Amino acid sequence: MARKLPKVDVVIIGVGWAGGIIASELAKKGLKVVGLERGKERKTEDYFMVHDELRYALRYGMMQDLSKETITFRGSEKIRALPMRQYGSFLLGDGLGGSGVHWNGQTFRFLPYDFEIYSKTVERYGKNKIPAGMMLQDWGITYDQMEPYYDKFEKLTGISGEENPLAGKRSSKYPTPPMKKSPPLKMFEEAAKKLKLHPYMMPSANLSESYTNPDGIARSACQYCGYCERFGCEYGAKADPVVTVIPVANKTGNFEIRTHSNVRRILKTGNKVTGVMYTDVTTGEEIEQPADIVVLTSYVFNNIRLLLMSDVGKPYDPGSGKGVIGKNYAYQVIKGNAVGFFDNKEFNTFAGAGSLGMVLDDYNGDNFDHSKLDFIHGGMVSLSHTGLRPIQNNPVPGGKPTWGKEFKEKSVKYANRFLSVGAQGSSMPFKHHFLDLDPSYKDAYGDPLIRITFDFENQDRNLAKFLASKCAAVLKEMGADHIDTMKDLGPYDITTYQSTHNTGGVIMGSDPGTSAVNNYLQMWDFDNLFVVGASAFPHNSGYNPTDTVGALSYRAVEGILKYHDKGGQVV
C-alpha cells in the first residue's frame, strides 16, 4: 500500500520549462508546491569540461533510458507497433529541467495564422482547401491574447533577436540584441535579399550579451562553443529551467523538488483529481501525494500516457473521431532541405551556437498564396551556424562514394566547405494520426507504453518538396558549386533523427467535444487538473515549440490562480 503524505496546494508532474515556470510563479504567490521529477538533479557544474560529442550527442547521456521505458510506433493501424530500442527520429530528455536543458535555444513565436488556422484557411480559400481526414481546428485563443505571455517568457529567458518583418506585432523589443553575424549568415542574408525575401536573425536563448531578467537572475553571454543541442551549458548562457525559474522557486521556501520520483497515476474521486501516486526510483517505494490542484507538465508522450493510464479524460477513437485524449498528434516536416558544397570557400563551421542563424518566413504559415498549391501552411527556411561536430558531420557531394579512398579524400576536402539551408515545415493533424496505450509492450513497472500511429501524408510530401526547392534556390544564389536537395519525401522513418518537436494529444480549444483543455490549459472534465505543454497544440507550426510552451505556461499560471481563488471552470 502506498505511503500517504500530507496534502499540499499544488503538485506538479515534471519540472522542465512548463513545470519550472508554474512552480516559480505559484510559489512567489505563497502556494505550497511540490515538483515531482523522475530524473536526477542537475546543475551547471555538471557540464564543466565535458564537451564530449561521443558521450552526449551519440550515446545520449542526457536522454531517457529506452531499456526501461520507450515508445512504440507504427505507420498505420494495419501494422503491428514495435518499440523504439535506440534513439532515432526524436530524443526524450531525462532529469531536472527536462528537454529545456539540452535544447538548442531557438525561440520563435507562432504566427497569428496558427492560432486561428481553420477560420483563416476557410476564409481565404474555402473549406475545399482542407483535405479529407485533416482534423484542422482553431486553438480557442488568438495571437493578440497570447502576445503578453510570449513577452513574459522572452524577458524571463533574455531572448536575443531582431524584428521579424512577417510575424505578429510585438509589444516590446527583444530583451537583448541579436547574436553575431558569421560570414555564412551574411552570405545567406545577401542571397535572400537578392531574391526579394525577408531574412532576419534567429531569436536565440543563447545570450548575445550579459543579462539580468525581471526575477533578478543574472547570466553571462554565449561563448559560441558549438555545444548546445544534446548538451547542458556550463556558462548558463543558454536559458534553461535550472538557471532561470527553478532557483527562483527554491528561494521562496514554498517549493520542494523531489527527483527520482516517477509519477505513475493521477488519483481522482468523481470529477476531481485528489493527487498523484509515484514510485521512488531509488527505493521502489510507492508514495501518494495529495493536492488541491494537480498540474501535468511532463513531455508530450508522458502527459497523454499518464492521463490514459489514470482513466482521466475520454480516449480518442480514430474510427468514430470521438474522444480527445491522444487526438491530433503532429510532428514536423524537416526533410525539405538542401546542402551546398563550395570548391573555393572555407567556413569555420565547428564554431557556433544552438540558435545562431538567419531565417526567412516568406514561405511560412499563410505568408504566401496557397491557391494553386496542394498543401496548406508552410515552414521557415534558415541557415543555422550551430557548430558542426566532427563525428556526426561528414558529408560529401551526391554521386560520390560513401566509403573508400575517394570518400576519404572528399571528406577532407569538404569538411569545412559545405553549408546546409534547411526548412522546418509544419505538421497538420489527421484523423488516423493518434496516440494510445500499447496493448502488448510495458515499461519496467509493468505499465503500458505509449503507442504512436503516424506517417507522412500528401500534405507533408508536397510541402517538403516545395520547401526543398526554396532552400536550393537560396544556396544557388549564395554561389554553391554543387547542391544536393531532397527530391521526394518517403514514408516517415523513425530510425533517423529529424526533430524532437512532438505535439498534440491533449489539445486546447473552445469546445469540450473537440478539445481536452480550455485556453488556460484546464481540463474540461476535471477542473482542478491543468495539462500544460506542447501536448496542447492542435497542430504544429513551422517553428520550434518552446516559446509557445513557455507562453502557455504563463497563461496556465493565470488560470491556476483564478481557480485557486474561486474554483470551477476558468473563463
Side-chain angles (χ1 to χ4, degrees), residues 233-484:
C233 179
E234 68 266 45
Y235 300 107
K238 179 175 69 173
D240 73 46
V242 175
V243 298
T244 55
V245 286
I246 292 174
V248 174
N250 286 335
K251 190 176 179 180
T252 66
N254 294 320
F255 180 51
E256 178 189 354
I257 296 175
R258 296 182 200 149
T259 53
H260 302 289
S261 300
N262 190 354
V263 178
R264 295 175 53 208
R265 295 294 185 275
I266 298 170
L267 306 176
K268 66 184 192 299
T269 300
N271 63 349
K272 296 282 186 182
V273 295
T274 59
V276 301
M277 185 278 287
Y278 69 93
T279 297
D280 184 323
V281 176
T282 60
T283 65
E285 181 185 16
E286 292 187 354
I287 301 170
E288 181 180 337
Q289 177 60 69
D292 291 326
I293 300 170
V294 175
V295 188
L296 181 46
T297 53
S298 186
Y299 189 68
V300 169
F301 297 140
N302 205 50
N303 279 357
I304 297 142
R305 181 173 180 245
L306 198 48
L307 291 173
L308 291 172
M309 289 195 303
S310 306
D311 194 25
V312 173
K314 188 174 181 181
Y316 173 67
D317 175 17
S320 65
K322 295 181 179 179
V324 291
I325 308 301
K327 172 186 173 183
N328 279 41
Y329 170 71
Y331 188 47
Q332 202 102 62
V333 179
I334 302 289
K335 294 289 190 176
N337 60 4
V339 181
F341 296 86
F342 296 78
D343 291 331
N344 301 306
K345 289 183 180 179
E346 290 191 74
F347 312 100
N348 291 332
T349 53
F350 63 88
S355 43
L356 176 61
M358 185 70 71
V359 187
L360 55 90
D361 279 325
D362 297 75
Y363 311 114
N364 207 350
D366 203 34
N367 289 339
F368 57 108
D369 188 5
H370 290 69
S371 298
K372 297 181 181 180
L373 298 172
D374 43 11
F375 60 87
I376 66 168
H377 211 297
M380 71 174 190
V381 171
S382 67
L383 190 153
S384 296
H385 205 152
T386 58
L388 299 182
R389 299 176 293 273
I391 301 175
Q392 281 188 294
N393 298 281
N394 195 28
V396 296
K400 304 297 181 183
T402 56
W403 60 278
K405 181 181 178 181
E406 186 179 355
F407 168 70
K408 292 177 183 178
E409 291 173 350
K410 298 298 183 185
S411 293
V412 172
K413 177 179 178 179
Y414 289 107
N416 295 305
R417 296 174 184 267
F418 76 94
L419 297 173
S420 178
V421 172
Q424 182 162 260
S426 60
S427 180
M428 299 298 106
F430 282 81
K431 185 177 180 182
H432 48 282
H433 297 170
F434 62 97
L435 299 163
D436 65 353
L437 295 178
D438 193 287
S440 302
Y441 293 97
K442 303 182 185 303
D443 68 8
Y445 297 101
D447 292 328
L449 300 179
I450 198 73
R451 177 172 62 179
I452 304 172
T453 303
F454 175 81
D455 201 355
F456 289 134
E457 304 290 330
N458 286 334
Q459 152 78 22
D460 306 308
R461 297 184 187 97
N462 298 332
L463 171 59
K465 198 169 184 178
F466 173 86
L467 291 175
S469 69
K470 303 303 181 183
C471 294
V474 175
L475 274 171
K476 182 179 179 182
E477 190 66 39
M478 290 171 66
D481 295 292
H482 177 93
I483 300 172
D484 290 333

